[in-house]
Amino acid sequence: MSHILSIDQGTSSSRAIVFDAALRVVSVAQAEFPQHFPQPGWVEHDPGDLWATVAATARSAIERAGAPRIAAIGITNQRETTLLWDRATGRPLHRAIVWQDRRTADLCEALAPHQALIRDRTGLLLDPYFSGTKLKWLLDHVEGARARARAGELAFGTVDSWLIWNLTGGKAHVTDATNAARTLLYDIGANRWDEEICALLDIPMALLPEVRDCAADFGTTRPDLFGGCIPILGVAGDQQAATVGQACFQPGMMKSTYGTGCFALLNTGAERVASQNRLLTTIAYRLGGRTTYALEGSIFVAGAVVQWLRDGLKIIRQAAETQPLAEAADPAQQVVMVPAFTGLGAPYWRPECRGAIFGLTRNSGPAELARAALESVGYQTRDLWQAMQADWPGAGQAVLRVDGGLAASDWSMQFLADILGAPVDRPKVTETTALGAAYLAGLQAGLCPEPAEFAGQWALDRRFEPQMDEAERARRYQGWQRAVRATIAAAPDGAAS
């Protein structure tokens, strides 16, 4: 039986999963890697760590699966993270600048007069989140980089491009439409790199990779890596891969993934919906040359707030401890946490904001902080949910499909259903990001069925129905909104809005 290797390169770890032809998990390998914080608000990864952990976990997963024949590789990756490397040697010129990084906030502010052009072409807002201003920063700050880029000596890529370059021994400099759509440099209507925006940012177009469909030929691996040449046939950014893995193929279907951050995508079909509520218009996937669009809301800190409880405050040893702590919290205390550690994402887009906690008393302790941390994820999701309802009226009737690490927490998912006042569905297969990448590769390889048949295989693990009464729901959400306004007002040059 043929197998598919799914590479899932995330913000805090790299994973490799071997699926069989029926898309059942056969083996898994995972490895964390260091995070680098050279200045407040700056986040970097060592490109060598990204590649080394991917190569090691892929080999390990194949070995654990009994070294089956791998018919295809699918790749999914942390999006917007920006790399620049030498085409001749493959050596990076700088650490990767991670999607969470906020160093280009001033540059984004200076570019504000061009917001309408950028929004119209790319569907994105001017924010340090996206790759374009990160790439400009690298060209501005790495000595000689822009001249070398103009001479065609350098390559830019998001993480998928960097991995494919290494997997193919430098033979393929490619990306897919979903990752290209997150760079701030790609016209999502015309499906091409935008010369005018590249000129605006002084980015030589010789740097840019070739853009392909999500299910396509991205090259073959070096034979020495995995004992033979394996075709790379599927690529999608992590949130789009999760959308595919959740089988959200019909307009109006919505999923929310809870990893380091939280990202909600609403399928809008062939229609590009221009958000009136500061959501992003993006590419959900591109198959057979046909583009499906989505509205997206991006939250920068979701699972990362649990990591902060563990690594920063050291009040837990592992993530699973947060649920019993939250259950034990004093119900009389109303502690609210706004985890704007790297700014506020959608629908606020305030990169200058930083985290805040409200409502502390002398009796507040680890249990109350754990509950506030988990609740913050639900509150932020409601912010996105309401914005999507305003932009796409049918969104309010949709059932939210959830996945990611935090989706395993029954307490968190019940609170999410309560604060939304809507059902939340958790699938039996929660590794939907890796599953989506595997499906795309399998589709291209002829191993997997067409989307409609694949959607019929989606299976429910549990539906969480709202139990909170409307008055309590409104009271709690109003408390969250007050906390967000106060957080914005406390930021440098901030004012409540």
Side-chain angles (χ1 to χ4, degrees), residues 123-403:
L124 308 177
L125 296 168
L126 267 171
D127 189 85
Y129 177 27
F130 305 108
S131 310
T133 57
K134 293 175 167 65
L135 178 55
K136 176 174 170 54
W137 187 95
L138 288 170
L139 295 174
D140 288 343
H141 289 83
V142 176
E143 186 176 355
R146 185 168 275 106
R148 294 189 64 200
R150 290 189 179 120
E153 297 176 10
L154 304 182
F156 151 74
T158 43
V159 172
D160 59 308
S161 295
W162 169 245
L163 297 179
I164 294 168
W165 178 277
N166 283 280
L167 286 164
T168 63
K171 292 182 178 179
H173 183 212
V174 293
T175 189
D176 85 295
T178 67
N179 278 295
R182 312 299 295 189
T183 61
L184 210 72
L185 307 174
Y186 192 71
D187 185 327
I188 63 172
N191 272 297
R192 62 171 179 258
W193 298 113
D194 191 280
E195 293 185 18
E196 189 174 356
I197 296 174
C198 287
L200 178 66
L201 295 177
D202 197 12
I203 291 173
M205 297 191 72
L207 280 170
L208 306 178
E210 179 185 339
V211 182
R212 298 181 180 171
D213 284 358
C214 299
D217 181 2
F218 292 89
T220 57
T221 63
R222 293 165 17 205
D224 60 301
L225 285 174
F226 310 122
C229 296
I230 304 173
I232 304 164
L233 299 181
V235 177
D238 52 9
Q239 304 313 315
Q240 283 86 352
T243 302
V244 171
Q246 287 275 35
C248 292
F249 294 123
Q250 296 299 317
M253 297 187 74
M254 181 178 173
K255 73 90 202 174
S256 191
T257 298
Y258 298 96
T260 300
C262 165
F263 304 87
L265 265 74
L266 174 72
N267 185 325
T268 63
E271 179 187 3
R272 281 182 60 184
V273 176
S275 175
Q276 304 302 309
N277 294 278
R278 311 201 78 197
L279 298 174
L280 307 176
T281 304
T282 194
I283 294 176
Y285 48 86
R286 196 172 83 193
L287 297 173
R290 299 182 63 179
T291 302
T292 296
Y293 295 97
L295 284 172
E296 177 176 333
S298 306
I299 297 168
F300 299 144
V301 174
V305 74
V306 177
Q307 291 177 324
W308 178 68
L309 295 178
R310 183 192 66 189
D311 302 334
L313 295 187
K314 301 187 187 303
I315 61 175
I316 59 172
R317 289 169 296 178
Q318 52 187 4
E321 295 174 22
T322 55
Q323 179 161 324
L325 276 174
E327 291 170 346
D330 179 2
Q333 294 193 50
Q334 298 298 315
V335 178
V336 178
M337 181 184 297
V338 183
F341 301 145
T342 55
L344 283 170
Y348 307 103
W349 298 108
R350 300 298 293 258
E352 76 281 5
C353 286
R354 293 297 177 262
I357 302 174
F358 299 88
L360 294 174
T361 72
R362 282 288 300 273
N363 291 327
S364 300
E368 287 70 35
L369 290 175
R371 183 185 64 188
L374 296 181
E375 288 180 345
S376 74
V377 177
Y379 289 131
Q380 291 178 98
T381 306
R382 176 159 171 179
D383 287 340
L384 304 182
W385 178 263
Q386 291 195 165
M388 286 183 173
Q389 286 185 39
D391 282 335
W392 181 274
Q397 283 70 55
V399 174
L400 180 64
R401 291 184 172 181
V402 296
D403 54 80

Side-chain angles (χ1 to χ4, degrees), residues 376-466:
S376 74
V377 177
Y379 289 131
Q380 291 178 98
T381 306
R382 176 159 171 179
D383 287 340
L384 304 182
W385 178 263
Q386 291 195 165
M388 286 183 173
Q389 286 185 39
D391 282 335
W392 181 274
Q397 283 70 55
V399 174
L400 180 64
R401 291 184 172 181
V402 296
D403 54 80
L406 204 60
S409 167
D410 290 353
W411 192 95
S412 299
M413 294 303 99
Q414 183 59 55
F415 180 77
L416 177 60
D418 286 341
I419 205 65
L420 293 180
V424 170
D425 279 1
R426 183 173 64 199
K428 286 186 176 179
V429 179
T430 56
E431 302 289 356
T432 54
T433 303
L435 175 64
Y439 170 72
L440 291 169
L443 179 66
Q444 183 68 11
L447 296 175
C448 294
E450 292 298 312
E453 185 178 343
F454 174 67
Q457 299 171 4
W458 186 93
L460 177 69
D461 168 55
R462 179 174 172 183
R463 170 168 286 188
F464 296 86
E465 297 280 3

Side-chain angles (χ1 to χ4, degrees), residues 2-46:
S2 296
H3 289 66
I4 301 166
L5 172 65
S6 181
I7 293 171
D8 182 358
Q9 202 299 300
T11 307
S12 57
S13 69
S14 298
R15 289 189 308 158
I17 301 179
V18 173
F19 291 87
D20 65 20
L23 295 177
R24 294 176 297 226
V25 174
V26 178
S27 66
V28 181
Q30 183 166 353
E32 292 190 3
F33 53 84
Q35 311 288 307
H36 301 278
F37 308 100
Q39 294 186 33
W42 291 28
V43 190
E44 296 177 351
H45 291 156
D46 184 330

Side-chain angles (χ1 to χ4, degrees), residues 91-114:
R91 293 176 182 165
L93 274 69
H94 192 277
R95 282 179 182 159
I97 302 180
V98 179
W99 59 272
Q100 298 163 308
D101 189 283
R102 314 306 286 170
R103 75 186 66 187
T104 63
D106 290 344
L107 173 58
C108 290
E109 188 174 343
L111 290 167
H114 305 283

